[in-house]
Amino acid sequence: MAKSKNGRPKKNRRQASPRAAAGPPAAAVAVASNPPTTTPTTTRNSTPNTTAERSGTCTINPSTIKGTDETGTYYPSHTHLLTSQSAHRDEYYAANATYWSSGGYNGTTDDEAMIGDAGGVEDGIEGLAFLDRYLALCDGEDLKSRSESESMVEVGSGRRKNQHHPMRSPHPRRRFDHAVDLGAGVGRLTKLVLLKRYGEVRLVEADEGWSKRSRAYLGRKRAARCCFTNRRLDDLTTQDVRGWGEPADLMWVQWTLQYLIDTDVISCLRILSGGLRQGSGILVVKENRPFGTQREDRFVMDVPGGEHGRYDITRNDQHHRLLFHQAGLKVSFMERGEETNTYALAVM
């Protein structure tokens, strides 16, 4: 995590301000979730904690979804959070639109403007490794046996010179034609992850300026393999997704759901899941989680009236799983990083 001059953690896209709180229990909701098959320790630069999910359920109590915002307001249950988010939705999104149109996290590069520090390339490497590990697991391969040279191969006739065919897969329905980068920003993940495995990528970005900038960022050859859609995820409709054409083999949403209120997360994920290729499409979500001095069982939230002048929320694992379940999705695979959780989701 980036540091400021005084040594304190620098505020960046990866983390909301630390707060913690406690509150009373309430009625439980059964949510699709499963025990881990492996539990190695991890740091950001080590092998991540990988969890391959099995059939089963765990119980998530909505009243355990609680936390505070940076102004000190305490939310004792998920219901209280939903009520507040709904009341301030327009204010939150207007502040965020201004924030991103004004340069985001700024910095000296486009990558820094997107994530707030110089870790963009490292994060891309982590993302590509996650995707390869998950696909290898789906196809019954030894996760340690696949090398970069084995997972990529030069394409012959019918493709652009030097374009790499994505993954070879024994899965009879696995395809690597179309990926979608949701909340794409300048196209960092498209460049570092998606175009290395998928033939074409659609970048969906709310800010028109960053959407236009992504063409230059990617370069002419990469941009020629991309489609660019200027659209807010909170306004996304089923008709929008159908209009993208052929179903997606992969949809990737990273450091984006934190800028949506919970009801819009549910709606967005439900709509996106309907655009996946049936039987083999993958939906990946990577988001912050509370870490360090923050309590892992509490969300922490920035609001426009606070120091950073924008809305974002850092949710813990149970909070995310509750939203996934309400969107009709289940976790089939996850990895826990030092500051983040990365999920591969499937339709229930």
Side-chain angles (χ1 to χ4, degrees):
M1 187 174 185
K3 302 289 184 180
S4 62
K5 292 182 180 179
N6 62 13
R8 296 193 183 99
K10 179 183 177 183
K11 186 67 182 167
N12 61 35
R13 187 169 188 173
R14 297 182 179 177
Q15 203 66 39
S17 302
R19 295 281 179 178
V29 174
V31 175
S33 179
N34 309 286
T37 57
T38 58
T39 55
T41 58
T42 182
T43 66
R44 177 171 176 172
N45 296 313
S46 69
T47 302
N49 181 338
T50 299
T51 301
E53 306 285 352
R54 298 193 297 264
S55 59
T57 61
C58 77
T59 299
I60 295 178
N61 190 327
S63 72
T64 65
I65 308 301
K66 60 188 68 175
T68 59
D69 64 36
E70 61 181 329
T71 68
T73 301
Y74 168 54
Y75 304 86
S77 72
H78 195 225
T79 299
H80 287 81
L81 175 63
L82 294 177
T83 299
S84 179
Q85 287 179 329
S86 177
H88 296 283
R89 181 181 187 271
D90 291 345
E91 174 194 355
Y92 289 170
Y93 290 166
N96 286 3
T98 299
Y99 180 82
W100 289 110
S101 65
S102 300
Y105 291 96
N106 296 308
T108 59
T109 67
D110 288 334
D111 284 1
E112 289 181 9
M114 292 291 97
I115 68 173
D117 60 30
V121 172
E122 178 188 6
D123 173 71
I125 293 170
E126 292 174 357
L128 195 62
F130 171 88
L131 180 60
D132 287 355
R133 282 190 291 267
Y134 175 60
L135 291 171
L137 184 66
C138 288
D139 294 337
E141 298 180 26
D142 182 349
L143 292 179
K144 298 180 181 179
S145 67
R146 172 177 279 180
S147 68
E148 179 76 5
S149 61
E150 290 171 335
S151 64
M152 298 183 71
V153 59
E154 193 83 16
V155 169
S157 60
R159 297 283 183 128
R160 297 179 181 86
K161 185 178 179 180
N162 295 328
Q163 178 182 330
H164 288 92
H165 185 278
M167 309 275 293
R168 285 192 180 120
S169 172
H171 193 295
R173 294 180 292 178
R174 183 83 61 207
R175 294 173 62 174
F176 300 90
D177 298 331
H178 304 286
V180 183
D181 185 352
L182 285 309
V186 77
R188 186 182 63 87
L189 287 170
T190 291
K191 177 180 178 179
L192 298 175
V193 179
L194 305 184
L195 284 174
K196 293 185 176 182
R197 293 296 182 265
Y198 292 81
E200 299 176 353
V201 178
R202 178 178 295 275
L203 291 79
V204 182
E205 168 56 32
D207 184 81
E208 184 177 4
W210 286 114
S211 185
K212 290 179 178 178
R213 174 63 185 160
S214 63
R215 292 159 174 81
Y217 172 87
L218 292 170
R220 181 176 58 83
K221 291 183 178 180
R222 293 190 188 95
R225 296 167 55 196
C226 297
C227 299
F228 301 87
T229 300
N230 184 208
R231 188 69 165 163
R232 283 171 40 168
L233 296 189
D234 55 287
D235 286 336
L236 200 65
T237 68
T238 300
Q239 288 71 29
D240 290 329
V241 175
R242 288 174 179 169
W244 297 346
E246 191 171 350
D249 301 299
L250 173 73
M251 292 187 178
W252 194 291
V253 191
Q254 177 167 334
W255 291 330
T256 297
L257 300 184
Q258 70 190 68
Y259 300 108
L260 299 183
I261 67 172
D262 285 25
T263 53
D264 285 338
V265 170
I266 296 165
S267 174
C268 174
L269 292 178
R270 185 181 295 120
I271 289 169
L272 292 176
S273 66
L276 292 170
R277 191 178 302 281
Q278 188 172 2
S280 63
I282 304 164
L283 177 56
V284 172
V285 169
K286 181 174 182 176
E287 290 289 326
N288 297 325
R289 63 177 181 82
F291 82 107
T293 59
Q294 301 170 5
R295 288 184 56 168
E296 293 190 8
D297 60 344
R298 299 291 183 265
F299 65 78
V300 288
M301 187 165 68
D302 285 352
V303 292
E307 175 186 357
H308 305 288
R310 67 166 189 267
Y311 162 79
D312 70 79
I313 180 170
T314 299
R315 304 174 177 96
N316 64 15
D317 179 53
Q318 294 293 86
H319 195 160
H320 277 116
R321 287 174 183 262
L322 180 63
L323 301 184
F324 297 156
H325 174 77
Q326 292 177 347
L329 297 166
K330 61 183 178 182
V331 177
S332 58
F333 183 76
M334 77 167 289
E335 288 183 353
R336 177 183 170 97
E338 185 181 18
E339 304 175 32
T340 61
N341 287 332
T342 309
Y343 304 90
L345 305 176
V347 178
M348 288 195 294

